[in-house]
Structures are given as structure tokens and as C-alpha cells.
Amino acid sequence: MSLAEEYTETSDDSRLERGLAYVQRNSRAYLLIAPAAVFLLAVVGYPIIETFRLSLYQSPADSNIETFVGLQHYVEIFNSDIFYRLLWQTGRWVVAGVAGKTLLGLLIAVHLKGDIRGRKFFRTAFLIPWGIPYAISAVVFRWIEHPQFGYLNAILLKLGIIEQGIGILGNPSIAWLGVVVADIWIGTPFMAIIFLAGLQSIPQELYEAAAIDGAEKWHQFRYITLPQLKSVVLIATLLSTIWTFVSFDVIWTMTGGGPISSTATLVIHIYQVGLQNGNLGRGAAYSVIGFLFLFVFAIIYLRIYTRGGDEL
């Protein structure tokens, strides 16, 4: 046996022994989390595996007969123009929604952390949008943006910005903006509360020391607040991205994916193909693609934010 082989074998044995010793030391912890792990595998792992299996079959919703077609659904999806249009519309929806909720949530949290009059009232009031069912909020915004009876057009007409009512949700070019506004209104309270909790955990001594050194408010925000909020922003934006990506209620209630499919996202299309049109195999293939997008995004996102040895 060469020296290199002997070293490799010794190294592998040592690594295995360390691994076994680590498991033995933490055997009680593994035993305690075992029921939760089994439960998660049952309710999360099985649907994922079944969806992937279904994507390999031609499976009409009105029949029990399944025909194996392999990767045919994936090939047809990647060769279709609809898929790439859906990717663009989904990306636009997610980026605009998450950016709006993050910026507004951070702005609200910074002001709520300050010593303002009625702070407790505002903290409670900002939770109201989060507590209203998404479908009801979407209906309210559909009326707000109504071209004849909506408050938005009434205000714009009063200010002289427009000369006649605009049918926002009926215009394929700007309908997505009308839906994004509703989504931002619904999701901002969650971001604000999460950021507020993070802000309150930052030691006040850091700001006092910075003030003594002559740092202005903007520099305190940039060099103290943002770095200290890094892990909170990571978790909040990651969750918001996933929730916005899979969001269905708001879009479906306000526009049904229209007009001319201009507000349809990948999730809306999965519902239309799989359940409305009864093509379960094609809908499952779209679902697998969406899952892989989110999975890869989450891994890349976590690696970028944990670069440098920081841990969540």
C-alpha cells in the first residue's frame, strides 16, 4: 500500500469514527426530533415524490388510466413559448412584490422603533392587513381600482392627473401592477413586524457610541442597522419570495390570470392546466419545474448570505 493510499484510508477511518462519536453524543437529540422528521417526510416528501412520478405520465383527470410518457411533458414545456412568458411574468411578479414589501416593511419598522406618539396603536393597526383573508383583500382592491367606481381613479381625476377613469385590471400592459399593489399591501405588515423584532435586538450602545463619534443617522443605518439585520432580512425575504412565488389567491381573485393571460404566473398556469383542463401529468411537470426553481434559488440565496462564515 502506497503512502497516499494509507493516508487516505486512515483519514476516512478517522472521519467515520468522529461521525459515529458525534451521533452517539447527540443520540438523545436525534431521538427527540425523529417523530417530527418522520411526520415531515410523510406530509412533505411523499407529495413531492408523487408529483414527480405523475409528471412522467399522461394522466387525464377524468380517467384512471395512466400512460407512461417519460420526459415528454418536460420537453414540450421547454419548447413552448408560453413557458418562457410565464417565467418572465412570474419573475416580474416576485421581484416587484418582494422588493416593495421589503422596502416598505423596513421603512415602517424603523419609524415604529422610534419614540413616536401612538406607537402601540400603529403597531397593532399595521397588523390588520395581515389578519384579513387574502381573497377579501383582493376583492377590496378590485373595487378600489375599478375604472368607474374605484377610489383610485376618483383621486387621480380629482388631482387632474388623468382625464378619464383607467381600467387598470383590464389593461394587459398595467394589470400586473394593480395586482402587485394589493400583494404589497397584504404582505408588508409581516415584513415590518419581523424587521421591528430584529431592530429591537440591536444593542443601543452601538448607536450611542456611533453618535459620540459623530456618525450621522444615515451612516448609523448603513453601518450598524443593516449589518445587524442581515440574518433577519435573509429569512424574511426568503420566506416572502417563496410565498409570493406560490401566491394564488390575490391574482386569481382580482384577474383570474387575465387579461389575455398577462397576470398569469407559473402557479396560476399549473391550476389552469392541471385542474381546469384536467391534464394532471402536464400540471405536475410544471409543478416540478417550479419546485426546482425555488430549491435552487434557496440554496444560492443561503450561500450568498452566509458567505464569510456567518451562520443563521
Side-chain angles (χ1 to χ4, degrees):
M1 178 182 296
S2 66
L3 181 60
E5 292 174 340
E6 184 176 355
Y7 174 78
T8 302
E9 184 174 336
T10 304
S11 179
D12 290 342
D13 291 344
S14 176
R15 192 176 303 152
L16 179 61
E17 290 175 359
R18 288 200 302 271
L20 290 175
Y22 180 82
V23 171
Q24 288 178 349
R25 285 197 307 272
N26 298 279
S27 57
R28 180 176 295 180
Y30 285 118
L31 188 62
L32 290 173
I33 67 171
V38 172
F39 178 77
L40 284 176
L41 284 175
V43 301
V44 178
Y46 173 73
I48 292 174
I49 295 172
E50 178 61 17
T51 301
F52 180 73
R53 187 200 66 80
L54 193 61
S55 70
L56 304 178
Y57 287 82
Q58 188 68 40
S59 178
D62 57 353
S63 172
N64 293 325
I65 300 175
E66 292 182 341
T67 306
F68 182 75
V69 295
L71 299 177
Q72 179 184 331
H73 290 310
Y74 294 96
V75 173
E76 291 175 354
I77 289 172
F78 286 121
N79 287 330
S80 68
D81 294 334
I82 296 176
F83 173 67
Y84 296 99
R85 182 161 58 84
L86 287 171
L87 280 186
W88 158 246
Q89 292 178 177
T90 304
R92 181 179 62 183
W93 157 258
V94 172
V95 171
V98 174
K101 285 178 275 191
T102 302
L103 294 176
L104 269 179
L106 186 58
L107 184 65
I108 292 171
V110 169
H111 282 81
L112 286 180
K113 183 177 179 291
D115 187 18
I116 62 173
R117 181 174 297 179
R119 184 173 56 180
K120 292 183 179 178
F121 168 77
F122 287 116
R123 286 183 179 182
T124 305
F126 276 114
L127 283 175
I128 292 176
W130 181 251
I132 299 175
Y134 288 6
I136 294 178
S137 299
V139 170
V140 171
F141 268 88
R142 196 171 62 186
W143 275 105
I144 289 175
E145 298 172 6
H146 193 279
Q148 293 180 322
F149 311 111
Y151 287 113
L152 180 60
N153 276 300
I155 294 172
L156 294 178
L157 286 170
K158 192 75 174 177
L159 295 175
I161 298 176
I162 58 176
E163 296 181 354
Q164 59 181 4
I166 302 173
I168 297 175
L169 299 180
N171 188 330
S173 301
I174 58 174
W176 71 279
L177 282 174
V179 183
V180 165
V181 169
D183 184 62
I184 291 174
W185 185 83
I186 294 170
T188 296
F190 169 78
M191 304 294 276
I193 294 300
I194 294 295
F195 291 149
L196 182 60
L199 287 173
Q200 291 177 331
S201 67
I202 301 175
Q204 190 61 30
E205 292 79 7
L206 294 177
Y207 293 103
E208 294 173 357
I212 292 173
D213 291 339
E216 299 177 353
K217 291 291 184 183
W218 164 246
H219 290 98
Q220 293 180 21
F221 178 78
R222 180 179 177 183
Y223 295 108
I224 297 177
T225 303
L226 288 181
Q228 294 290 325
L229 274 182
K230 179 182 175 182
S231 59
V232 176
V233 172
L234 163 64
I235 294 299
T237 53
L238 181 59
L239 289 176
S240 181
T241 301
I242 294 173
W243 291 340
T244 306
F245 186 93
V246 301
S247 177
F248 177 85
D249 314 48
V250 178
I251 298 176
W252 190 254
T253 304
M254 293 185 71
T255 65
I260 321 177
S261 299
S262 61
T263 59
T265 61
L266 200 56
V267 172
I268 296 293
H269 194 67
I270 290 170
Y271 174 76
Q272 292 172 329
V273 171
L275 298 181
Q276 284 194 326
N277 298 337
N279 192 340
L280 298 180
R282 177 69 66 87
Y286 272 112
S287 300
V288 170
I289 293 171
F291 167 76
L292 292 177
F293 266 111
L294 281 180
F295 186 71
V296 172
F297 167 78
I299 292 176
I300 296 174
Y301 197 67
L302 289 172
R303 288 187 66 85
I304 291 175
Y305 271 84
T306 56
R307 186 178 297 168
D310 293 343
E311 294 183 358
L312 295 176

